[in-house]
Amino acid sequence: MAEKLPKPSEMAQVEFKPQPQGWMDPKVQFHKGTFNYGFNPRSAEYLDLPNPRKWNPTAEDWHLPPNWKEIILDGLRDRLQRFRSLQVFMDICVRCGACADKCHYFIGSGDPKNMPVLRAELLRSVYRKDFTTAGKLMGKMAGARELTVDVLKEWFYYFHQCTECRRCSVFCPYGIDTAEITIIARELLNLVGLGIDWIVTPAANCFRTGNHLGIQPHGFKDSVEFAVDDLEEITGVRVEPSINRKGAEALFVMPSADYFGDPHYFGFLGYLALLHEVGLDYTFSAFASEGGNFGLFHSNEMMKRLNAKIYEEAKRLKVKWILGGECGHMWRVLHQYMDTMNGPADFLEVPRSPITGTVFDNARSTKMVHICEFTADLLYHNKLKIDPSRNDDFRVTFHDSCNTARAMGILEEPRYIINKVCNYFYEMPENTIREQTFCCGSGSGLGTDENLEMRLRGGLPRGSAVKFVREKHNVNTLACICAIDKATLPAVMDYWAPGVQVCGVHELVGNALIMRGEKARATNLRGEPLPGKEQTDE
């Protein structure tokens, strides 16, 4: 598929003009590279999901249940009653279009149905037809449409071209959260067995082994021990993390990619070095070995089920509070839903750093602190010995991950850390960062190979902003604090901003950290020579 991709100069030529096909016409062409494959039926069966079977989105027959329409409408009715926000979002949109040009998928594709206002209208039109008096009486004149198989296919195509990044909600004068509409639309699709494999299989793995990658407890233990050996080889310091140890001060939860993926793994080494250096009494859990929550991309119920293990392990291991690693969708769930879905966490204490004495009042409800909050606090109180020159080969810019920036307001802490551990930091244009940050283009379970073209189209705005600072400041490193970003942005950078690598913030911390008892450092955490150490004496 990659060989058939258009060149960047060709893909960047996006046409923004009305199409001859009216928006009410639901017919959609499943163009290769722009959609995701259906789920593996074995994964669906493992999760007790409805209608598990082999199916192909490009096939004419999707093998729907005979009463599929009744299931969808009953599901929508149920959610309108349970979620007041959905009813509000269905009713208050005036179709002003303030959100239209804010979506990275619309910018990259020019498809009008990727404008957030119109994508939401695909669901809203069915709502009008079956749940409003005007729609029942006036039909199309009131913007109402019948729910048909073609409409269902249209939903599948376009609601899986929304990464739930919520950039559109920043600009909506009514505060409509299109991500919530996408969540509900996907829930309705899943009621009749129309889920994608890159969401369903990771969720099934999480139930089976505790993490999305399907790594079993002994494999998790091996991964941690392998990292300990690697860190000792680089620094000369032997760290001693524990797993499933009762009575520790804190439970550390991270996305599974941190101890398995690249470049995530180097940030994991940074965690280990940092927590050892400050002497935090913490433990990992082989059961809660995944902070990332693909349930956010499936349904509210799945989100709740996957997240439950974190509090369960915190209670079983009798820790005081929870510390979490770098992951975007992990933190949207933890910050916005965790206490409501899985709380109250009254068996835990309000997090307090035993090193600085800082009480994290912002975590009073969930009892969980982000690693960037923890590290920024350490640096602010001068608890770390840092040599930023070790990162002088990196000219860094920072990508605000959608779910940590817009969803939980972690904006300054990563920048504070980067400025402390690096000498060369450059911001991207103001309207592409912080609350207005552009998505990686691959979030919400869409980071697959089969939809690579759409991922790259969605990554056009972010890639263009990075290309700008690369050309202006010779930036060669894009730092971020999200597992999905670290997994998907390398391809986006290779395509739109060649020469820019992706790293986690705590990889930079680990490079700059001077550890007590360390040997003379010759390499960074990637095993690359430190500045000035390119040639060593034999």
Side-chain angles (χ1 to χ4, degrees):
M1 184 184 300
E3 294 179 357
K4 298 180 181 179
L5 284 171
K7 296 178 180 178
S9 58
E10 298 170 339
M11 191 180 288
Q13 300 303 312
V14 181
E15 292 188 1
F16 298 98
K17 65 180 182 180
Q19 298 180 355
Q21 177 184 346
W23 78 266
M24 282 196 168
D25 183 351
K27 288 288 186 179
V28 62
Q29 180 69 38
F30 282 80
H31 171 64
K32 187 176 182 180
T34 64
F35 68 93
N36 296 81
Y37 296 159
F39 58 53
N40 183 327
R42 293 182 60 185
S43 298
E45 289 173 355
Y46 194 89
L47 293 170
D48 295 321
L49 298 182
N51 198 21
R53 82 283 181 213
K54 290 185 178 180
W55 69 285
N56 185 347
T58 63
E60 183 68 24
D61 185 358
W62 282 13
H63 304 291
L64 298 169
N67 61 334
W68 68 267
K69 185 172 181 178
E70 179 184 355
I71 293 172
I72 293 289
L73 293 178
D74 285 347
L76 181 54
R77 181 178 297 105
D78 171 65
R79 283 153 182 79
L80 288 167
Q81 294 171 352
R82 282 196 288 143
F83 304 120
R84 184 173 180 271
S85 60
L86 177 61
Q87 180 80 62
V88 172
F89 295 159
M90 290 293 99
D91 288 335
I92 66 173
C93 178
V94 296
R95 290 182 272 190
C96 67
C99 64
D101 61 345
K102 308 307 186 295
C103 176
H104 50 281
Y105 275 142
F106 175 64
I107 294 172
S109 70
D111 189 334
K113 291 185 180 180
N114 270 326
M115 294 188 293
V117 59
L118 188 44
R119 189 189 295 114
E121 202 72 11
L122 305 182
L123 175 62
R124 191 177 284 116
S125 59
V126 172
Y127 160 77
R128 289 198 187 100
K129 177 63 178 175
D130 289 276
F131 296 93
T132 70
T133 302
K136 291 176 182 178
L137 294 177
M138 302 174 64
K140 288 185 177 181
M141 292 179 62
R145 294 190 304 171
E146 290 279 356
L147 178 59
T148 66
V149 171
D150 284 336
V151 167
L152 210 59
K153 291 183 176 183
E154 180 188 50
W155 284 6
F156 178 85
Y157 189 74
Y158 285 105
F159 284 111
H160 288 103
Q161 288 183 17
C162 169
T163 54
E164 303 177 14
C165 81
R166 303 171 73 238
R167 189 172 193 264
C168 52
S169 67
V170 173
F171 298 91
C172 177
Y174 290 91
I176 295 173
D177 190 340
T178 305
E180 297 286 345
I181 296 175
T182 294
I183 290 173
I184 295 300
R186 290 189 184 181
E187 284 193 17
L188 298 177
L189 290 168
N190 281 300
L191 291 176
V192 293
L194 298 180
I196 67 172
D197 193 55
W198 199 241
I199 294 174
V200 174
T201 291
N205 285 341
C206 199
F207 276 100
R208 184 169 58 85
T209 67
N211 56 75
H212 295 157
L213 297 175
I215 298 172
Q216 297 183 27
H218 63 275
F220 173 69
K221 180 174 179 290
D222 289 345
S223 296
V224 173
E225 291 176 350
F226 186 84
V228 168
D229 291 341
D230 268 359
L231 187 62
E232 183 178 21
E233 183 176 346
I234 294 167
T235 67
V237 178
R238 185 79 178 177
V239 303
E240 297 180 351
S242 63
I243 301 173
N244 298 339
R245 178 170 60 87
K246 291 186 176 181
E249 169 89 10
L251 169 65
F252 189 89
V253 179
M254 61 194 157
S256 54
D258 277 358
Y259 50 87
F260 194 82
D262 181 351
H264 318 65
Y265 178 73
F266 308 115
F268 179 44
L269 296 180
Y271 298 156
L272 293 176
L274 172 74
L275 299 180
H276 172 85
E277 184 62 19
V278 298
L280 181 67
D281 179 23
Y282 74 99
T283 190
F284 296 120
S285 164
F287 176 60
S289 56
E290 177 68 77
N293 193 322
F294 272 57
L296 173 64
F297 316 139
H298 182 278
S299 64
N300 284 273
E301 287 73 20
M302 189 69 72
M303 189 193 324
K304 179 178 180 179
R305 290 167 68 187
L306 292 182
N307 202 60
K309 63 183 180 295
I310 296 178
Y311 276 164
E312 288 176 8
E313 277 297 84
K315 178 177 283 189
R316 185 181 75 85
L317 296 176
K318 302 184 186 304
V319 299
K320 295 180 181 178
W321 52 282
I322 310 170
L323 182 64
E326 296 181 355
C327 181
H329 59 298
M330 165 181 169
W331 277 101
R332 185 176 182 199
V333 176
L334 299 178
H335 184 69
Q336 294 195 326
Y337 302 107
M338 187 176 190
D339 187 51
T340 303
M341 288 184 162
N342 305 110
D346 50 11
F347 56 92
L348 295 171
E349 300 177 5
V350 178
R352 176 183 177 276
S353 171
I355 297 95
T356 67
T358 297
V359 176
F360 295 96
D361 282 315
N362 60 306
R364 183 171 294 276
S365 174
T366 63
K367 312 298 193 296
M368 192 160 181
V369 174
H370 193 286
I371 186 69
C372 281
E373 298 172 302
F374 183 76
T375 302
D377 178 62
L378 293 172
L379 290 166
Y380 180 79
H381 287 93
N382 297 313
K383 297 298 183 180
L384 301 176
K385 192 174 181 180
I386 296 293
D387 179 3
S389 69
R390 290 178 174 178
N391 283 315
D392 278 357
D393 285 340
F394 300 145
R395 300 177 69 85
V396 183
T397 191
F398 178 67
H399 166 67
D400 289 278
S401 303
C402 301
N403 286 315
T404 50
R406 272 190 290 273
M408 68 178 298
I410 291 194
L411 305 173
E412 303 309 323
E413 291 90 344
R415 291 174 167 82
Y416 182 81
I417 295 170
I418 293 171
N419 276 306
K420 287 289 187 179
V421 303
C422 296
N423 287 321
Y424 304 107
F425 175 60
Y426 307 93
E427 290 279 19
M428 285 179 276
E430 187 175 352
N431 64 339
T432 71
I433 60 175
R434 293 187 168 86
E435 293 92 339
Q436 297 185 42
T437 185
F438 275 109
C439 181
C440 65
S442 309
S444 79
L446 307 184
T448 62
D449 289 336
E450 65 257 27
N451 68 330
L452 181 59
E453 180 182 332
M454 187 52 64
R455 283 176 49 198
L456 295 176
R457 289 189 179 278
L460 168 61
R462 173 46 76 224
S464 298
V466 176
K467 183 179 179 182
F468 174 81
V469 290
R470 172 153 179 74
E471 292 175 349
K472 185 175 181 178
H473 301 293
N474 199 27
V475 161
N476 61 15
T477 303
L478 177 63
C480 57
I481 53 173
C482 173
I484 287 181
D485 287 335
K486 295 171 196 173
T488 62
L489 279 172
V492 174
M493 292 302 102
D494 288 345
Y495 190 81
W496 292 115
V500 176
Q501 66 178 352
V502 178
C503 76
V505 167
H506 278 79
E507 176 184 343
L508 301 174
V509 172
N511 287 341
L513 181 65
I514 300 175
M515 302 178 70
R516 289 184 295 272
E518 71 174 20
K519 66 180 183 181
R521 286 279 296 274
T523 70
N524 61 24
L525 296 182
R526 299 191 180 206
E528 301 166 342
L530 290 173
K533 302 290 185 178
E534 289 79 5
Q535 294 182 349
T536 57
D537 295 331
E538 294 293 338

